[in-house]
Amino acid sequence: MVAVTAAGAASAAVGPHHTPDDSRPPGRRPGRARLRALVDRMSLDEKVGQLFVSRAYGHSATDPDPADAEQNLAAFGVRTAAELVSRYHLGGIVYFAWAHNTRAPQQIAALSVGLQQAALTTGARIPLLLSTDQEHGAVARIGKPATLLPGAMALGAAGSTAHALRAARIAGSELAAMGIRQDYAPVADVNVNPANPVIGVRSFGSDPHAVAELVAAQVRGYQGAGVAATAKHFPGHGDTETDSHVGLPVMRHTRAVWEELDEPPFRAAVEAGVDAIMTAHIVFPALDPSGDPATLSRPIVTGLLRERLRFEGVVVTDALDMAGVRQKYGNDRVPVLALLAGCDQLLNPPDLDLAHRSVKAAVESGELTEARVEESVLRILELKARRGLFDEAYTTGREVDAAVGVQQHLDAADAIAAATTTLLADPRGLVPFDAAAAPRLLVTGADPVSPTGTTGPPTAVLARELTALGCRATAVPPARAVAAAAGHAAVLVCTYNVPEGESPQRTLVADLIATGVPVVSLAVRNPYDPARLPGCAAELATYSWTDVEMRAAARVLTGALRPAGRLPVPVPGRYPLGHGLTR
């Protein structure tokens, strides 16, 4: 039998694990013929189940908290994630913090082991592909003590493929140690719209060729660590003004613009051997005038991705519970249409039972051929084989201890972040502050919640790091900042996606400038904020508000680091692409 047994996999997990993709002995992997034979032995229920990657509630596969058991019961008719895997013969589970899957690295590893045991002891006994969105920066599901690295736009500001590869290899090695073997990263979208509400700093930048190089580097990094990379969101989500989680965006690019701007990063990912590509829930009239979202578009998924780009790997839909894919068709039709378009993995349908029944009914009615389903199942099994899951499906606590949040990785994260902070303006020569003189600094502004809930708040982190470097820094909430400003050498204001027109952030900065104390702004998410905040004495961009970026900003502000980042996007009306001051 091709699939490992639970006992076999448990035994394999004792030995060396997660070797880089290019060093694993190829003879250990089942070949296409053996995988094809496995598919031939599967029932239709099992084949359909392999197409689905579902959420599941709880920190444990078999013993969730009572509230999570009730959530599972309401959503799926079972109480545990293990029962969910067994009932639907699932191909994968996606981990979310809000589903209480990602509390701590050892817990995540134990959850992964429990889910694999459920898969390997029931049905066709095929290992699961466990996945998550660990982009780093603005989107991350797993927090400290795992290593949190600079996100895509910060890496774009550094402009180093070596840094991008190293970050992905570290991220991949930690995910693999926790049993997660598919990451929905890197983002291959080219962000050319400052008003884009959903991509922004998740993109490496606005230059398609620079983005392409960084995407390819991250594909090699993740997959070199044994984790399937997933380039997203095809055919490109970088010039939209609607969030596909809540609406259906429309891309207005012509076919020629798409070929010049949006296509290169995906082509680079394919040429780098990316395991998977995720579709976008966007309408792209120049590529398909039907009005169907790209996820359900055969001209886009099959015509462009399969035929034009010659991608032979797994096509995964963006989450099927998002509004962008559900506005035109019902929950019963969406999974069937996605398969007809050419997708393979169906990610997180809102009603798994309905979706599973709908795909099975489409096969039984002849709308979908069983051969079409088997084509996708075979691609999914080949991906699992490539990532070594038929050799070693389980992880161990020892592997978590050896890889997750180790000092070597934490030091590397700081070293990478050191190249990302961008000094945009400093006409008075205020930066760096003379830390030896112990200047009094006031820190205030936006304190967005950490993507993982495990870092920050950023103003407190920045104040603490500045103090550690020799300054006397105090963090205060915005409501107290103006009254507290007098007597300080400067006020540092963290800003977060300042909108056009009047806003509380703009009012705060104007009121602080009116005190006469120099104001330094730090754009801690999208770097477009300075265009909306005139009059600051100095301006910086950090591209993220996690601790690693706040530490880097503090070092730049005190002269412990030279500002090395360059804008990977233009700031309309203020700064061109590539702008950045050095000292």
Side-chain angles (χ1 to χ4, degrees), residues 1 25 46 48 62 86 105 114 166 184 198 210 229 231 236 268 279 291 320 333 338 344 357 365 487 513 516 548:
M1 187 172 187
E46 291 165 349
V48 170
T62 56
S86 300
R166 189 181 188 191
Y184 298 131
V198 67
T279 61
L320 296 183
R333 295 298 299 155
D344 302 305
R357 284 189 286 108
S365 72
I513 290 172
V548 68

Side-chain angles (χ1 to χ4, degrees), residues 390-462:
F390 285 95
D391 303 327
E392 300 165 341
Y394 295 118
T395 188
T396 68
R398 292 189 301 277
E399 291 173 86
V400 174
D401 290 339
V404 180
V406 295
Q407 194 61 48
Q408 180 182 5
H409 290 177
L410 298 174
D411 292 344
D414 278 324
I416 294 168
T420 65
T421 303
T422 306
L423 180 60
L424 299 172
D426 186 19
R428 302 190 208 175
L430 194 64
V431 176
F433 297 105
D434 181 6
R440 292 185 67 213
L441 301 174
L442 191 68
V443 183
T444 191
D447 264 332
V449 175
S450 166
T452 64
T454 63
T455 70
T459 59
V461 173
L462 182 60

Side-chain angles (χ1 to χ4, degrees), residues 60-100:
S60 164
T62 56
D63 188 25
D65 292 339
D68 290 320
E70 290 302 314
Q71 286 268 64
N72 284 325
L73 195 60
F76 310 115
V78 297
R79 299 189 69 84
T80 72
E83 292 174 281
L84 178 65
V85 168
S86 300
R87 172 175 286 192
Y88 291 101
H89 311 291
L90 292 176
I93 292 286
V94 54
Y95 289 169
F96 293 108
W98 52 259
H100 307 141

Side-chain angles (χ1 to χ4, degrees), residues 155-311:
L155 293 171
S160 166
T161 55
H163 281 337
L165 186 148
R166 189 181 188 191
R169 189 174 286 270
I170 290 169
S173 68
E174 296 199 8
L175 290 173
M178 292 180 278
I180 299 168
R181 305 302 287 275
Q182 182 174 15
D183 192 13
Y184 298 131
V187 171
D189 304 314
V190 180
N191 199 81
V192 293
N193 188 341
N196 194 322
V198 67
I199 303 301
V201 293
R202 299 169 63 195
S203 164
F204 290 106
S206 64
D207 179 337
H209 302 294
V211 172
E213 290 181 358
L214 295 170
V215 165
Q218 290 230 297
V219 168
R220 292 192 294 271
Y222 281 117
Q223 294 183 181
V227 169
T230 308
K232 62 186 186 184
H233 308 79
F234 190 82
H237 209 320
D239 192 9
T240 58
E241 295 186 4
T242 301
D243 184 345
S244 51
H245 292 84
V246 298
L248 181 56
V250 178
M251 278 283 279
R252 300 298 182 187
H253 291 181
T254 64
R255 170 67 181 251
V257 169
W258 177 79
E259 291 179 2
E260 180 182 350
L261 185 70
D262 303 294
E263 179 185 25
F266 291 101
R267 183 176 292 280
V270 173
E271 292 173 354
V274 70
D275 276 342
I277 291 179
M278 179 180 284
T279 61
H281 302 328
I282 61 171
V283 172
F284 208 133
L287 304 182
D288 180 357
S290 70
D292 285 346
T295 298
L296 310 182
S297 167
R298 186 168 180 81
I300 292 175
V301 177
T302 296
L304 293 181
L305 185 53
R306 293 285 188 212
E307 296 172 1
R308 178 179 169 89
L309 296 185
R310 301 186 182 280
F311 178 58

Side-chain angles (χ1 to χ4, degrees), residues 21-69:
D21 186 51
D22 55 3
S23 66
R24 186 184 295 279
R28 295 179 63 192
R29 297 197 188 112
R32 188 178 181 90
R34 293 180 66 196
L35 294 174
R36 176 72 255 185
L38 174 57
V39 174
D40 289 342
R41 292 196 296 271
M42 294 168 65
S43 68
L44 180 57
D45 271 347
E46 291 165 349
K47 293 172 188 174
V48 170
Q50 279 298 305
L51 306 176
F52 286 99
V53 180
S54 178
R55 69 197 180 282
Y57 297 95
H59 70 288
S60 164
T62 56
D63 188 25
D65 292 339
D68 290 320

